[in-house]
């Protein structure tokens, strides 16, 4: 989303406003160029202040840190903290929502108290501590007393993770509105061209940081590390972003002697809230029918506030009203990092020369953004405009519709994935597969089903029974077999004085993370040592425990107590399960591998991950049309000193959208994931229709013309406000009212500063 807004360029023009450029602040501090805190010495490169290079490097490292950590976060929840997908999705979107709520707090703190420089430094320290805490929380060895690779005190890891995420949300959100504005402060008024180029480079650094980190951190996660047991290296995946955040902080501080630092000037968001609050309170006081009605409820603020400010608030509220349906778009958009990542774990990520990790598929979004934005601007929009007037609100509507189509595509893909999944037993059923460990063909009967088994072979599919069934191995040899509800079982038929069987528990879900579940059934008659990729199979009976092995060629090394060895090779895909049979006829030697047979218990993932590109394309197309246009529309319809108010409202829609996801994830009782995708798509289509109706009745305005009408405040209006406040506040407040009365002229100065 940031990348999209960056290319659109609308945030560039908000820099001055974000730093609190309102009429009172301009009056107090004059123009930016006149009342800057000058740096001890000036240095420029090709006409650019040297200080901006520190800011650009800082932004690249910070975005690498944030997006790198976020790319692997949902998998960390599921596979390290052992949370189910719904709860992992809930916490993930809660975190994202916090990241988009805290920018408002950061802007107010920077503009009202600390200033941008101190706010960035202090919150970057908080941010860095949060990243370090996250990296520490992922070290399983700190609580792994029994050295089995599983943390013994999971509560500690969860607590550290939540503290880390809270600090990160406060840090990344708090500095979000400050860094770009601080970079803009480094230029003089006559450096408009250099300032514009700076913002292009600045937002390029955002794209570069997010793209590179989303590629690299999943690779780091896929590495193995650990003191006692080698596992996926989440400490490294979180540690590298933490290190980049340390670098970002150091780089930013190193450049401090060269920075231009403007003093805090007050925040327009606070002023708007006070104006709205006064209007509501004053309307409530005069709710009696004896008071004449006013044209607009904001007109009840006229006793205290300028008509210009009231008119500006009205224009801002008019746009904010259109924001009400928009959170539903973000509810779908941000599931790229949660539900769509989980979907990718059940797919085939083999792209020939490279293997794509499930969490790396998110990189498709920033790549497509860089491709689609210029195509939309130079080709698509001009072509459409020749047919009809493609207004900004129509574009936003189309963007929401494209996002809904993306989730329809995700649902259709999920249906295809579900078709390839095993048919697992219900809570009232049990399933069984038979393996013939006898050196002759057998024909057995399970209830009314006759099954033919080759020597050292197995039946193809699991058979489903209700609780128990009758098993006939030979005429006159009958067993009543009971199965636990909801379980899968393998029954190995063995030869003793008569035919018998051994029952083993099987997996009842697909192997996680696209890995393959392997085990060995030893019918050799003596102890064997079996390893695969340096992992040792643990035998508690003739059947070993499962080992998880990634895709590719797997070499099994089989040894006996006399150090005789045999190598068996098996090509593995994604998400399969095999039982390796070592028969009683097995012999060591050159042809030993021909005696070994692999029984497939679960087929590998056959739906290729590349199919997700369709839904990513639709979603990114929707984002480009929706986000860039939305920000441009907001800017064009906003008064000169209300840009930051609308930016805060825009960020708030992202936060609310993520809250919608966590509500649906917890409240919905849909059994199938594809049904949840359809639910979200349907809700967005409904919201899209509502927004289209709202847009139809919206009247475009020219804020500049409206503000010009209030250019000169009438003397009686000044007296009106004075007489209202004088009895209550005395002469001291009268001085403040005199200062407020010059808002009109100073707003013109602010307008000059906002336009870059």
């Amino acid at each position: 989303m940031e990348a999209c807004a960056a290319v659109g360029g609308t945030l560039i023009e908000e820099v001055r406003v974000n730093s609190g450029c309102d009429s009172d602040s301009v009056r107090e501090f004059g123009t930016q160029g006149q009342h800057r805190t000058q740096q001890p010495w000036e240095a420029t490169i090709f006409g650019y202040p040297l200080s901006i290079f520190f800011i650009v490097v800082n932004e690249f490292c910070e975005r690498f840190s944030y997006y790198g950590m976020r790319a692997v976060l949902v998998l960390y929840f599921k596979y390290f903290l052992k949370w189910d997908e719904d709860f992992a999705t809930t916490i993930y979107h809660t975190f994202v929502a916090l990241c988009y709520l805290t920018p408002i707090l950061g802007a107010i703190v920077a503009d009202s108290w600390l200033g941008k420089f101190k706010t960035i430094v202090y919150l970057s320290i908080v941010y860095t501590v949060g990243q370090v805490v996250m990296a520490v929380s992922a070290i399983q060895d700190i609580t792994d007393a029994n050295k089995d690779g599983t943390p013994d005190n999971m509560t500690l890891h969860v607590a550290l993770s939540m503290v880390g995420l809270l600090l990160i949300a406060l840090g990344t959100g708090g500095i979000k509105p400050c860094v770009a504005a601080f970079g803009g402060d480094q230029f003089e008024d006559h450096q408009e061209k250099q300032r514009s180029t700076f913002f292009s480079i600045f937002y390029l650094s955002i794209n570069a940081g997010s793209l590179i980190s989303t590629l690299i951190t999943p690779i780091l996660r896929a590495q193995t590390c650990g003191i006692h047991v080698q596992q996926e290296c989440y400490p490294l995946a979180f540690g590298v972003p933490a290190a980049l955040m340390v670098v970002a902080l150091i780089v930013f501080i190193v450049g401090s002697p060269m920075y231009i630092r403007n003093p805090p000037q007050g925040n327009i968001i606070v002023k708007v809230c006070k104006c709205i609050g006064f209007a509501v309170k004053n309307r409530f006081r005069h709710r009696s029918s004896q008071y004449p009605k006013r044209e607009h409820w904001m007109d009840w603020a006229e006793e205290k506030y300028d008509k210009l400010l009231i008119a500006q608030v009205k224009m801002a509220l008019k746009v904010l009203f259109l924001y009400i349906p928009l959170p539903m778009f973000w509810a779908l958009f941000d599931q790229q990092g949660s539900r769509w990542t989980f979907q990718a774990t059940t797919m085939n990520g083999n792209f020939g020369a490279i293997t794509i990790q499930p969490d790396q598929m998110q990189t498709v979004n920033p790549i497509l953004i860089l491709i689609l934005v210029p195509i939309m601007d130079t080709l698509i929009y001009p072509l459409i405009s020749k047919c009809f007037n493609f207004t900004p609100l129509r574009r936003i509507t189309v963007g929401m519709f494209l996002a809904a189509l993306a989730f329809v595509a995700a649902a259709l893909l999920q249906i295809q994935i579900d078709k390839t999944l095993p048919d697992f037993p219900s809570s009232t059923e049990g399933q069984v597969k038979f393996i013939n460990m006898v050196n002759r063909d057998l024909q057995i009967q399970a209830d009314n089903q006759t099954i033919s088994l080759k020597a050292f072979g197995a039946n193809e599919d699991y058979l489903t029974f209700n609780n128990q069934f009758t098993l006939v191995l030979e005429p006159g040899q009958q067993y009543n077999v009971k199965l636990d509800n909801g379980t899968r079982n393998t029954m190995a038929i063995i030869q003793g004085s008569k035919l018998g069987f051994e029952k083993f528990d099987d997996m009842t879900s697909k192997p996680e993370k696209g890995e393959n579940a392997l085990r060995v059934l030893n019918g050799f008659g003596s102890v064997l040592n079996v390893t695969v990729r340096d992992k040792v199979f643990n035998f508690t009976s003739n059947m070993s425990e499962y080992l998880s092995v990634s895709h590719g060629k797997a070499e099994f090394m089989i040894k006996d107590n006399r150090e005789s060895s045999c190598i068996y090779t098996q090509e593995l895909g994604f998400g399969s399960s095999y039982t390796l049979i070592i028969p009683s006829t097995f012999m060591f030697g050159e042809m030993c591998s021909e005696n070994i047979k692999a029984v497939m218990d679960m087929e590998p993932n056959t739906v290729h991950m590349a199919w997700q590109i369709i839904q990513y394309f639709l979603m990114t197309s929707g984002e480009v049309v929706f986000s860039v246009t939305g920000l441009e529309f907001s800017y064009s319809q906003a008064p000169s000193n209300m840009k930051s108010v609308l930016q805060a409202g825009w960020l708030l829609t992202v936060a609310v959208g993520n809250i919608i996801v966590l509500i649906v994830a917890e409240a919905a009782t849909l059994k199938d994931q594809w049904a949840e995708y359809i639910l979200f798509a349907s809700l967005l289509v409904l919201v899209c229709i509502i927004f289209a109706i709202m847009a139809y009745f919206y009247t475009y305005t020219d804020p500049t013309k409206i503000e010009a009408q209030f250019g000169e405040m009438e003397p009686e209006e000044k007296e009106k406000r004075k007489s209202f406040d004088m009895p209550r506040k005395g002469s001291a407040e009268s001085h403040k009212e005199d200062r407020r009365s010059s808002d009109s002229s100073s707003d013109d100065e602010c307008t000059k500063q906002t336009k870059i």
Side-chain angles (χ1 to χ4, degrees):
M1 187 193 70
E2 282 185 287
C4 188
V7 181
T10 55
L11 293 183
I12 294 174
E13 298 171 291
E14 294 200 21
V15 171
R16 293 298 183 199
V17 183
N18 283 345
S19 60
C21 180
D22 57 67
S23 53
D24 285 341
S25 64
V26 170
R27 184 180 299 107
E28 183 174 352
F29 296 107
T31 63
Q32 298 269 356
Q34 292 171 334
H35 290 270
R36 287 180 165 181
T37 302
Q38 294 296 325
Q39 66 268 39
W41 55 277
E42 295 184 3
T44 60
I45 298 179
F46 303 114
Y48 294 88
L50 184 61
S51 57
I52 66 167
F53 295 98
F54 294 92
I55 296 173
V56 169
V57 173
N58 165 270
E59 184 66 12
F60 170 82
C61 294
E62 187 274 327
R63 291 291 85 186
F64 185 108
S65 178
Y66 174 73
Y67 283 108
M69 177 277 304
R70 204 175 98 165
V72 301
L73 186 60
V74 73
L75 298 185
Y76 168 75
F77 288 157
K78 182 178 180 181
Y79 299 126
F80 186 91
L81 298 183
K82 307 300 182 185
W83 292 346
D84 63 64
E85 290 189 8
D86 286 341
F87 190 63
T89 300
T90 297
I91 299 301
Y92 174 86
H93 288 283
T94 302
F95 166 70
V96 176
L98 285 174
C99 290
Y100 284 95
L101 285 172
T102 49
I104 300 174
L105 177 63
I108 294 174
V109 169
D111 293 342
S112 303
W113 294 293
L114 295 179
K116 290 185 282 293
F117 176 77
K118 288 184 179 180
T119 301
I120 293 170
V121 171
Y122 295 160
L123 289 182
S124 291
I125 294 173
V126 172
Y127 193 167
T128 304
V129 172
Q131 289 282 30
V132 171
V133 171
M134 275 299 296
V136 172
S137 73
I139 304 175
Q140 71 265 17
D141 296 306
I142 60 177
T143 61
D144 186 14
N146 56 8
K147 303 179 181 180
D148 64 348
T150 302
D152 299 325
N153 187 0
M154 189 61 78
T155 304
L156 175 63
H157 292 274
V158 172
L160 288 174
S161 300
M162 295 304 100
V163 170
L165 290 177
L166 188 61
L167 294 176
I168 292 170
L170 181 61
T172 188
I175 68 175
K176 191 185 292 290
C178 300
V179 180
F182 189 68
D185 289 345
Q186 308 310 304
F187 294 89
E188 300 292 341
D189 293 338
H190 65 275
Q191 294 179 300
E192 293 185 6
K193 182 178 179 181
Q194 290 90 335
R195 185 189 289 116
S196 178
T197 304
F198 159 72
F199 281 113
S200 298
I201 298 172
F202 181 84
Y203 288 111
L204 178 63
S205 71
I206 292 178
N207 290 325
S210 62
L211 177 60
I212 295 172
S213 65
T214 311
L215 281 171
I216 291 178
T217 49
I219 296 174
L220 299 177
R221 172 194 59 78
Q223 306 304 308
T224 57
C225 62
I227 299 174
H228 308 304
V229 178
Q230 296 289 304
Q231 296 186 8
E232 281 193 319
C233 204
Y234 286 103
L236 182 61
F238 290 140
V240 170
L244 264 291
M245 194 58 223
V246 172
V247 172
L249 178 59
I250 293 173
V251 168
F252 187 76
I253 293 175
V254 167
S256 60
M258 289 170 277
Y259 295 144
I260 294 173
R261 306 182 200 177
N262 295 327
Q265 301 174 352
N267 191 277
I268 187 64
I269 297 176
V270 176
K271 187 175 181 181
V272 169
C273 292
K274 287 181 179 179
C275 182
I276 294 173
F278 179 81
V280 173
K281 201 161 41 174
N282 197 32
R283 176 68 184 90
F284 182 76
R285 288 201 202 105
H286 300 82
R287 61 188 180 277
S288 174
S289 58
Q290 67 183 14
Y291 296 102
K293 291 184 178 181
R294 300 188 183 182
E295 185 178 351
H296 192 281
W297 63 271
M298 275 301 303
D299 292 334
W300 288 95
E302 288 182 355
E303 284 85 351
K304 186 176 180 181
Y305 291 92
D306 295 340
K307 284 190 174 182
L308 173 59
L309 177 64
I310 294 171
Q312 290 169 330
V313 172
K314 288 179 183 178
M315 287 185 282
L317 290 175
K318 186 179 178 183
V319 178
L320 289 173
F321 177 72
L322 285 177
Y323 283 1
I324 294 175
L326 303 188
M328 200 64 219
F329 173 87
W330 301 116
L332 277 68
F333 176 82
D334 278 330
Q335 290 188 61
Q336 294 174 92
S338 56
R339 292 298 197 198
W340 287 13
T341 300
F342 285 138
Q343 184 185 62
T345 63
T346 62
M347 303 176 74
N348 182 354
N350 185 9
F351 281 77
I354 60 172
T355 299
I356 298 297
Q357 300 295 327
D359 33 1
Q360 282 182 312
M361 282 301 294
Q362 299 173 57
T363 60
V364 174
N365 175 257
I367 292 172
L368 286 175
I369 282 176
L370 297 175
I371 297 172
L372 290 176
V373 167
I375 292 176
M376 290 287 186
D377 287 339
T378 60
L379 183 63
I380 304 299
Y381 291 158
L383 287 176
I384 295 177
S385 64
K386 291 182 178 180
C387 301
F388 63 92
N389 185 16
F390 199 29
T391 63
L393 293 180
R394 288 175 179 173
R395 293 184 192 179
I396 294 173
T397 306
V398 170
M400 288 194 283
F401 184 70
L402 287 172
L405 285 180
F407 262 60
V408 172
L412 294 175
L413 181 60
Q414 188 64 48
I415 291 172
Q416 296 304 313
I417 293 172
D418 291 345
K419 289 179 180 178
T420 67
L421 297 178
D423 185 17
F424 293 111
S426 68
S427 58
T428 60
E429 297 174 331
Q431 291 181 336
V432 65
K433 173 179 279 193
F434 299 97
I435 296 180
N436 179 12
M437 296 299 291
V438 181
N439 193 16
R440 59 186 173 90
D441 295 349
L442 294 177
Q443 191 172 64
I444 63 175
Q445 188 169 344
D447 277 353
N448 298 323
Q449 302 182 62
T450 301
I451 306 151
S452 298
L453 299 173
K454 298 286 187 181
F456 307 114
N459 59 310
E460 185 175 350
D461 296 319
Y462 282 85
L463 304 178
T464 301
F465 300 97
N466 292 321
N467 294 331
Q468 62 182 19
F469 66 95
T470 300
L471 175 63
V472 179
L473 297 180
E474 288 183 321
Q477 191 176 344
Q478 180 174 305
Y479 300 91
N480 288 322
V481 181
K482 186 174 182 180
L483 301 175
D484 293 331
N485 289 333
T487 63
R488 276 189 156 197
N489 307 268
T490 290
M491 298 183 66
I493 301 172
I494 56 177
Q495 181 71 63
S497 57
K498 59 180 182 178
L499 290 178
F501 65 86
E502 288 183 284
K503 186 161 70 76
F504 306 101
D505 293 333
D506 294 0
M507 297 180 66
T508 54
S509 62
K510 286 281 282 186
E512 296 180 333
K513 299 174 282 189
E515 294 192 336
N516 302 275
L518 309 177
R519 61 179 178 174
V520 178
L521 178 56
N522 182 10
F524 185 58
S526 62
V527 177
L528 294 173
N529 177 268
V530 185
T531 60
V532 58
R533 296 182 186 170
D534 298 326
K535 295 181 178 181
V536 180
F537 287 93
N538 181 29
F539 287 88
T540 55
S541 61
N542 288 333
M543 183 76 82
S544 73
E545 296 178 354
Y546 283 103
L547 280 182
S548 293
V549 181
S550 59
H551 88 287
K553 185 181 293 185
E555 288 191 350
F556 295 81
M557 176 64 73
I558 305 168
K559 293 182 179 180
D560 63 6
N561 52 14
R562 293 177 296 182
E563 293 302 316
S564 299
S565 63
C566 176
I567 296 178
Y568 174 78
T569 303
Q570 177 72 35
E571 193 68 34
L572 301 176
F574 293 83
S576 64
S577 177
Y578 288 91
T579 299
L580 203 68
I581 299 175
I582 302 178
S584 56
T585 57
F586 172 78
M587 292 185 297
F588 288 97
E590 292 184 3
M591 309 298 290
C592 62
S593 61
E594 295 183 0
N595 296 321
I596 300 173
K597 294 186 178 181
V599 174
M600 181 184 292
D601 299 328
M602 292 187 202
E603 293 185 357
N605 302 337
T606 55
V607 180
H608 202 276
M609 212 177 284
W611 285 106
Q612 276 198 322
I613 294 177
I614 297 174
Q615 63 206 53
Y616 272 102
F617 175 80
L618 290 169
M619 180 60 76
T620 307
S621 300
E623 178 193 6
V624 171
V625 177
F626 176 92
S627 186
V628 172
T629 306
L631 287 166
E632 290 176 351
F633 166 78
S634 301
Y635 185 82
S636 68
Q637 297 296 294
S640 59
N641 64 340
M642 296 285 168
K643 315 294 185 184
S644 60
V645 175
L646 295 185
Q647 185 181 7
W650 186 266
L651 294 176
L652 192 62
T653 65
V654 182
V656 175
N658 281 272
I659 293 172
I660 291 173
V661 178
L662 65 92
I663 291 173
V664 173
E666 288 297 312
T669 56
L670 299 173
K671 179 181 177 182
D672 298 314
Q673 184 57 53
W674 66 265
E676 184 179 294
Y677 289 146
I678 294 296
L679 172 63
F680 274 108
S682 302
L683 289 174
L684 185 55
V685 169
L686 177 62
V687 167
C688 186
I689 295 171
I690 294 172
F691 181 81
I693 296 172
M694 294 169 64
Y696 179 78
F697 291 100
Y698 181 85
T699 303
Y700 288 85
T701 59
D702 186 347
T704 305
K705 290 183 179 179
I706 295 176
E707 288 174 329
Q709 296 173 8
F710 296 89
E712 294 295 332
M713 182 73 68
E714 296 182 5
E716 55 266 27
E717 292 298 329
K718 297 182 185 178
E719 278 311 310
K720 192 177 182 182
R721 287 196 322 278
K722 256 189 182 181
S723 62
F724 179 81
D725 277 345
M726 281 284 286
R728 297 168 55 240
K729 300 185 178 180
S731 59
E733 289 295 338
S734 173
H735 175 65
K736 293 184 179 180
E737 290 297 328
D738 289 338
R739 293 179 64 232
R740 186 182 293 114
S741 67
S742 60
D743 279 357
S744 173
S745 59
S746 59
D747 275 326
D748 293 336
E749 187 66 38
C750 183
T751 304
K752 294 177 183 177
Q753 296 180 46
T754 58
K755 293 185 178 179
I756 298 173

